[in-house]
Amino acid sequence: MSKDHINATKKLAKLLHDNPKQKVIFLVGAGISTSCGIPDFRSPETGLYHNLSKLNLPYAEAVFDIDFFEEKPRPFYMLASELYPGKFKPSKFHLLLKLFQDQKRLQRIYTQNIDTLERQAGISQAYIIEAHGSFAENHCINCNKIYDMDIFKKHLDKYQKEPIDKNFARCRSCNGLIKPNIVFFGEDLPKRFFATWDSDLETMDDKETRPIVIVAGTSLTVYPFASLPTEVSKDTTRALINRELVGDFKASPRKTDIIIECNSDDAADIIAKELGWSKQLDDLIKEHDLLTTIPDVTDELESISKELDKLTIKEDDPKAGEEESSDENKKENKSNSSKENTQTEQKIPAKKDFSESKST
Ligand code: OAD
Ligand code: ZN
């Protein structure tokens, strides 16, 4: 970590220290979980989307596209087996978030992650907005019937043992596909996301209640989440803790922005130390039985890579093709064009739409 970024972290910590009543809103993404062994989406080489290129997807984000899922659920099942909560432990940064809660300094965490590691770190649901949903509930994509968590997991396990279409979770009423309530491209974000953000924005109007906003571990490419830092009032201090400069911090930097380009766990260490919370952080690390060094994610990525290779072979296998409908390509084209029509500002646009909106 460079000296400049260490100083910037200390500056943020001093601000927090000197304003003990001020609360913090965190806006986070996959980068705060990479040290847990979960790859992020867009990092070159290691990101999930890079690895998904082996699946012959029309574009990487198709794995989270509702129309594509309806036609070909397999890639999502692959991804779900990698990301399904339960096998990972929270990072140091997650534990720092827990300390903000314990110290009564936490206003909210808006997370794009579906790994539920904020909950696992012991943070109360009242503070967490899972903007892109989670695996906790499921619904039929055809008739919207709600199913509990177990049904998808049961079928996911079956599918892992025997990857055939028969093992996809299907609705008892209409035989539609059952999918976790993870927000796909073309789906609305939870109502609670918008309602809570509106009320959090109001707290920024008043000096007494004005929070600090810390953005961490996200490329800020997926809307509407990516627009949150832009909506933060000009009087509110924003900080970015990320390996690279992103989003509005890059496009429209503000004089008061605090930029910390580093691994989020390294920043967590410094912040905890400067605020006198090092012992509490160590205790939490022991409680969660975390390794003090950042685990190497190479093995995890290799196993994903191998799984994807197997799947690629299967997709090319003419017999495997029989499992899918014969007019698949036709349907794929149709779903792609309908996707473009369904984008609105309330939904997450696909990458293509994002780059268009960004250039305007
Ligand atoms: P991305 O993969 O797009 O971005 C992760 C960001 O974190 C990048 O800017 C990395 O440089 C940075 N990063 C990685 N490791 C880090 C570390 N240890 N410390 C600090 N920074 C680190 O992930 P998101 O922005 O979260 O949608 O992606 C947003 C959405 O795109 C996801 O929620 C997902 C995907 O489509 C759904 O799950 C529905
Ligand atoms: Zn149904």
Side-chain angles (χ1 to χ4, degrees), residues 239-258:
L240 175 73
I241 301 174
N242 209 50
R243 279 186 187 156
E244 53 181 345
L245 193 58
V246 292
D248 204 51
F249 291 91
K250 195 176 177 180
S252 307
R254 300 178 187 177
K255 261 195 199 137
T256 50
D257 283 347
I258 300 174

Side-chain angles (χ1 to χ4, degrees), residues 106-213:
L106 184 62
Q107 179 159 324
R108 207 82 58 201
I109 301 169
Y110 292 85
T111 180
Q112 296 166 89
N113 299 342
I114 52 176
D115 53 32
T116 62
L117 288 177
E118 297 85 4
R119 300 187 204 189
Q120 276 189 58
I123 297 156
S124 151
Q125 280 289 96
Y127 293 112
I128 307 170
I129 306 292
E130 288 167 333
H132 294 169
S134 79
F135 286 96
E137 260 194 355
N138 298 284
H139 70 279
C140 164
I141 62 167
N142 190 37
C143 74
N144 279 324
K145 190 178 159 84
I146 307 287
Y147 286 89
D148 66 18
M149 189 164 182
D150 297 349
I151 186 144
F152 183 78
K153 180 72 173 85
K154 211 171 82 193
H155 282 83
L156 185 62
D157 290 345
K158 265 187 173 178
Y159 185 81
Q160 277 175 291
K161 282 187 198 121
E162 201 187 351
I164 54 170
D165 289 12
K166 196 165 71 72
N167 286 335
F168 293 138
R170 289 201 175 266
C171 178
R172 282 192 286 270
S173 309
C174 74
N175 203 40
L177 282 161
I178 293 172
K179 158 185 136 7
N181 291 1
I182 289 166
V183 181
F184 276 28
F185 292 98
E187 289 188 315
D188 289 329
L189 272 70
K191 287 197 177 70
R192 188 165 168 253
F193 167 85
F194 296 103
T196 314
W197 180 247
D198 281 348
S199 73
D200 279 337
L201 276 179
E202 277 173 27
T203 65
M204 295 176 199
D205 294 339
D206 186 343
K207 206 172 160 228
E208 293 297 309
T209 55
R210 188 171 296 145
I212 291 177
V213 175

